Amino acid sequence: MPPLGPTPRLSVARDAGAPAQGPTDEALMRLVRSGERRAFEALAGRHLHGVSSFCARMLGSRASGEELAQEVFLTLWTRREAYREEQRFAPYLYTLAVNRCRNHQRWWRRLTDRSTQWDLDGRGVPAATPLETLVDAERQAALHRAVARLPARLREAVLLRFEQGLDYQSLGEAVGCTEVNARTRVFRGLALLRESTEDFAP
């Protein structure tokens, strides 16, 4: 096989977050292992937005999240032969994302002592009145700050469970713990959020 060129920079914007169609993620990843670039681009089209969102929430910055997501997919491509055919793709992908985010722990420790201003776009349903809009915005800001203050391992568990929709088995595989420990981390994270935020309901 002739040598492949550099991995193209992927676009988060073209990821619509639609349900996967056609071959399964695992089938596509088997093709990626053999160097099939179109299969790699198909996987990126399905999952780049989710990885970018997860990384952004872990780091507190949309720009940093997008940059880190690019690194995750670059790693997926450059280490494609390390993927085992019997592995489930989603836990494998988010293991890469979690590991990348954990490399930023020193940066996060500097942030946990103060409130973090999130630059993520809100796309919720507008409230009926300006007052309701203000209250809702303050509640969302309080929740974002509370999530940012969670210990990193609790934060990643809560985000993977409720934003990325991983089941507890997949979550445990992604973060490197048992399913029971994954449930415990989510429970502890939610308990801390309830203490920090009024009217929070998972």
Side-chain angles (χ1 to χ4, degrees):
M1 177 186 301
L4 295 170
T7 305
R9 183 169 181 83
L10 304 168
S11 171
V12 175
R14 70 187 180 90
D15 182 317
Q21 298 178 355
T24 65
D25 292 338
E26 289 75 17
L28 287 172
M29 191 60 200
R30 286 193 289 271
L31 294 174
V32 171
R33 289 183 74 245
S34 66
E36 177 55 58
R37 189 178 294 272
R38 289 186 179 180
F40 172 75
E41 292 175 350
L43 282 174
R46 292 179 182 181
H47 297 286
L48 183 61
H49 177 77
V51 172
S52 178
S53 176
F54 169 72
C55 293
R57 294 297 303 275
M58 287 297 296
L59 301 180
S61 164
R62 178 182 294 278
S64 296
E66 291 181 356
E67 194 67 30
L68 206 66
Q70 296 286 337
E71 295 180 17
V72 169
F73 276 87
L74 176 61
T75 300
L76 182 69
W77 174 257
T78 58
R79 300 183 184 175
R80 58 191 180 276
E81 293 182 359
Y83 177 80
R84 301 190 307 273
E85 292 192 4
E86 68 273 12
Q87 287 181 286
R88 293 188 299 162
F89 178 75
Y92 179 80
L93 177 65
Y94 279 99
T95 296
L96 298 180
V98 165
N99 288 339
R100 285 288 176 177
C101 289
R102 287 177 177 176
N103 289 336
H104 290 74
Q105 289 307 302
R106 286 185 300 176
W107 186 81
W108 264 111
R109 281 196 291 271
R110 293 197 298 269
L111 291 183
T112 52
D113 292 333
R114 66 180 187 272
S115 298
T116 301
Q117 297 297 322
W118 293 82
D119 63 357
L120 304 181
D121 294 334
R123 291 189 171 87
V125 177
T129 69
L131 178 59
E132 290 173 343
T133 300
L134 177 62
V135 171
D136 184 67
E138 291 179 349
R139 182 180 296 116
Q140 290 297 319
L143 176 57
H144 287 318
R145 289 192 297 269
V147 171
R149 288 193 297 266
L150 287 175
R153 296 204 171 185
L154 303 187
R155 183 171 63 249
E156 67 193 15
V158 169
L159 293 176
L160 288 173
R161 178 70 184 100
F162 292 104
E163 289 208 338
Q164 304 308 319
L166 268 64
D167 59 43
Y168 287 107
Q169 180 182 353
S170 297
L171 195 163
E173 293 177 24
V175 302
C177 70
T178 66
E179 180 177 343
V180 172
N181 284 339
R183 290 178 180 274
T184 299
R185 292 184 189 185
V186 170
F187 176 82
R188 290 175 58 198
L190 293 180
L192 290 175
L193 288 176
R194 290 190 184 97
E195 293 176 3
S196 303
T197 311
E198 294 183 359
D199 300 326
F200 177 74

